[in-house]
Amino acid sequence: MKVTVFGAGYVGLVQGAVLADVGHDVVCVDVDAAKIAALQAGHVPIHEPGLEPLVRANQAAGRLRFTASAAEGVAHGELLFLAVGTPPGEDGSADLQHVLAVARTIAAHMNAPRLIVNKSTVPVGTADKVTQAVREGLAARGARIAFEVVSNPEFLKEGAAVADCLRPDRIVVGTSSAQAEQQLRALYAPFNRNHDRMVVMDVRSAELTKYAANAMLAAKISFINEIAGLAERLGADIEAVRRGIGSDPRIGYHFIYPGAGYGGSCFPKDVKALIRTAQDAGYTPHVLQAVQQRNDAQRRVLFERIAAHYGGADQLTGKVIALWGLAFKPETDDMREAPSRALMEWLWQAGARVQAHDPAAMDEARRLYPEPLRGHPPGLTLCDSPLAALQGADVLAIVTEWKVFRVPDFARIAALLKDRAVFDGRNLYEPQQAARHGLTYVSIGRAAVRAASGERFREPARQPKEG
């Protein structure tokens, strides 16, 4: 089938490459001419396992092409995918300007019936807005051309997006049109052979399904972080608790790892957008608000523990903090809403410097923090290896659970750190193992361990402030 994908970003590029890989004829359109030129040259601008060879192979086979010409894209595709960004507005709502701009572009160039497939994460009712934008565009031309707008949200995990796209858990389709459903069944037939993965529903339910899925996963993360805070105060070990509850198949082990809070391009944005959608509908989303509040507080936990180690944030001036992990999760270079960025900002505000390493996100960090800003302040040195980040550092903070960090040389860490303390925001290590090497070890939801004796201790519970 002839497919055009508008938006050659994370979702659009993965979806386009995978559709091409099963034999469809795919054109990806993007307004960023530099990105298109790079893709045409075989350079993939994002870090995603398996994506670059997939793109290059299908380019070589002639099934995947890239263009900045919207007219070319509309003329090519019988199915037109919208996979453009929906960044959060100041009030938390999803900004639909890019989605609606593509809709108007389609209307301006469409000369034959088209199926418009909304892949972007959008609020309930967006398909109606896209339909109206296309109708108005066609009317302005005096054209009467049939089209349908369907919802087909993506459920990709960064770091495993190619695998998720090749072997989807479900393919959600929102439409009331039998013809549109059949077109999408034909498109996705190569992914639907083992059993029927398509879940067909009305458009608004499909739009809400995407937000509800992400909000549910975010809720699990905030829940386990809430219990982690309680475990610390009760002398329990959150890792034991996690295994205990995860063994219940009704709960499962996924997304119940305590840590430094969730980040990335989806969860923070989508939870805020769903809260705003509820408020606009006259409904108070108490649980969603609590999920966001818990995450906002969790993102500050690691900074507060580093500050407490030195007797307060005012004692951090001149300290050098080694930071392992910049991406919001492993196997990606995405630093959008990453906990590392929040931690660095607070450390800089307190007068500390940061020496950071990440296996994939170094170029992204250089883009976000250009050379003139990496002096002092803010004070950021990007290091070529984990050990290089420890050179001259006072303590180590771990924010991303990359595999390369999981089995470190503890003796070397202890030898390099001036103050021999590790603040682990992902619970990568056994506390006693770190203590045996002379390290003070502070993690999430577990009693900290002092370096000198291996003695476990609990930080005192904070007293509520007056007023």
Side-chain angles (χ1 to χ4, degrees):
M1 300 178 76
K2 292 186 178 298
V3 178
T4 294
V5 181
F6 284 91
Y10 179 80
V11 172
L13 185 56
V14 172
Q15 184 69 72
V18 168
L19 287 174
D21 198 52
V22 296
H24 296 302
D25 184 3
V26 180
V27 169
C28 288
V29 181
D30 202 285
V31 296
D32 187 337
K35 179 191 292 184
I36 290 298
L39 287 166
Q40 288 172 340
H43 302 304
V44 174
I46 59 176
H47 177 87
E48 183 63 38
L51 181 58
E52 188 163 312
L54 195 69
V55 168
R56 290 182 175 180
N58 284 283
Q59 275 184 295
R63 293 188 297 267
L64 179 62
R65 301 185 301 284
F66 301 97
T67 181
S69 169
E72 180 184 343
V74 175
H76 169 82
E78 54 191 303
L79 288 85
L80 307 177
F81 277 76
L82 310 188
V84 295
T86 53
E90 291 184 5
D91 60 357
S93 62
D95 186 344
L96 297 178
Q97 63 173 316
H98 303 305
V99 171
L100 296 178
V102 174
R104 289 189 286 269
T105 297
I106 290 171
H109 296 288
M110 190 169 68
N111 291 312
R114 292 290 183 260
L115 177 62
I116 300 171
V117 183
N118 195 359
K119 204 76 179 172
S120 300
T121 300
V122 294
V124 175
T126 298
D128 296 337
K129 294 180 180 179
V130 171
T131 299
Q132 183 64 25
V134 175
R135 282 177 179 164
E136 290 175 355
L138 290 174
R141 294 170 50 202
R144 298 183 63 182
I145 304 170
F147 71 95
E148 298 270 5
V149 178
V150 304
S151 175
N152 175 217
E154 54 86 14
F155 297 95
L156 307 180
K157 300 185 294 293
E158 289 197 40
V162 172
D164 287 345
C165 213
L166 287 168
R167 293 176 291 278
D169 297 319
R170 73 282 205 199
I171 303 168
V172 173
V173 172
T175 184
S176 58
S177 165
Q179 180 180 352
E181 178 184 339
Q182 288 307 311
Q183 282 182 277
L184 287 173
R185 285 193 178 279
L187 179 77
Y188 288 124
F191 312 98
N192 216 24
R193 297 184 65 190
N194 182 269
H195 63 275
D196 189 2
R197 292 177 171 86
M198 283 191 64
V199 183
V200 182
M201 58 188 73
D202 63 276
V203 173
R204 285 180 169 249
S205 295
E207 291 171 333
L208 182 56
T209 295
K210 169 61 179 181
Y211 275 113
N214 278 356
M216 182 64 193
L217 297 175
K220 293 185 73 173
I221 295 171
S222 283
F223 174 80
I224 199 66
N225 282 331
E226 185 103 318
I227 299 301
L230 182 59
E232 291 170 4
R233 288 155 177 78
L234 298 179
D237 183 336
I238 191 60
E239 292 301 318
V241 174
R242 177 183 63 79
R243 292 190 294 271
I245 66 174
S247 61
D248 185 333
R250 296 172 299 175
I251 298 172
Y253 293 104
H254 295 298
F255 290 87
I256 58 168
Y257 288 87
Y262 58 74
S265 63
C266 295
F267 289 2
K269 172 178 70 72
D270 293 352
V271 170
K272 290 176 185 176
L274 192 53
I275 289 172
R276 182 66 186 185
T277 296
Q279 292 170 337
D280 288 346
Y283 184 69
T284 302
H286 296 291
V287 172
L288 295 176
Q289 289 172 333
V291 168
Q292 181 181 336
Q293 290 164 3
R294 175 68 264 162
N295 194 63
D296 290 344
Q298 197 69 22
R299 289 161 65 88
R300 194 171 172 83
V301 165
L302 218 55
F303 169 75
E304 291 177 343
R305 293 184 181 177
I306 296 171
H309 179 75
Y310 286 108
D314 58 342
Q315 301 300 308
L316 288 175
T317 301
K319 297 296 182 184
V320 179
I321 312 300
L323 182 63
W324 283 3
L326 291 167
F328 86 94
K329 64 179 287 188
E331 302 300 336
T332 182
D333 60 354
D334 194 343
M335 290 179 62
R336 285 174 288 183
E337 297 283 341
S340 65
R341 297 181 65 180
L343 175 59
M344 287 193 294
E345 294 286 347
W346 287 316
L347 289 170
W348 292 332
Q349 289 171 16
R353 293 180 57 83
V354 175
Q355 298 180 170
H357 173 74
D358 188 282
M362 303 293 276
D363 287 342
E364 179 65 3
R366 291 185 184 97
R367 185 187 71 82
L368 293 169
Y369 305 104
E371 189 65 42
L373 298 180
R374 296 207 298 270
H376 187 75
L380 172 62
T381 301
L382 297 174
C383 303
D384 293 334
S385 71
L387 287 180
L390 301 179
Q391 297 283 348
D394 294 292
V395 299
L396 167 64
I398 303 170
V399 187
T400 313
E401 62 276 29
W402 283 95
K403 290 180 181 179
V404 71
F405 301 151
R406 292 188 178 181
V407 189
D409 184 340
F410 285 105
R412 189 72 174 141
I413 293 174
L416 290 172
L417 291 177
K418 294 177 182 177
D419 293 333
R420 294 190 174 190
V422 176
F423 297 86
D424 184 356
R426 297 300 175 186
N427 287 7
L428 294 185
Y429 314 128
E430 287 298 323
Q432 294 297 335
Q433 183 182 18
R436 284 195 297 271
H437 289 84
L439 291 164
T440 292
Y441 181 73
V442 181
S443 55
I444 307 294
R446 302 184 288 185
V449 179
R450 296 185 187 277
S453 62
E455 174 190 356
R456 300 174 71 87
F457 69 98
R458 294 193 299 275
E459 295 183 13
R462 297 196 186 104
Q463 297 300 316
K465 294 181 180 179
E466 295 183 1

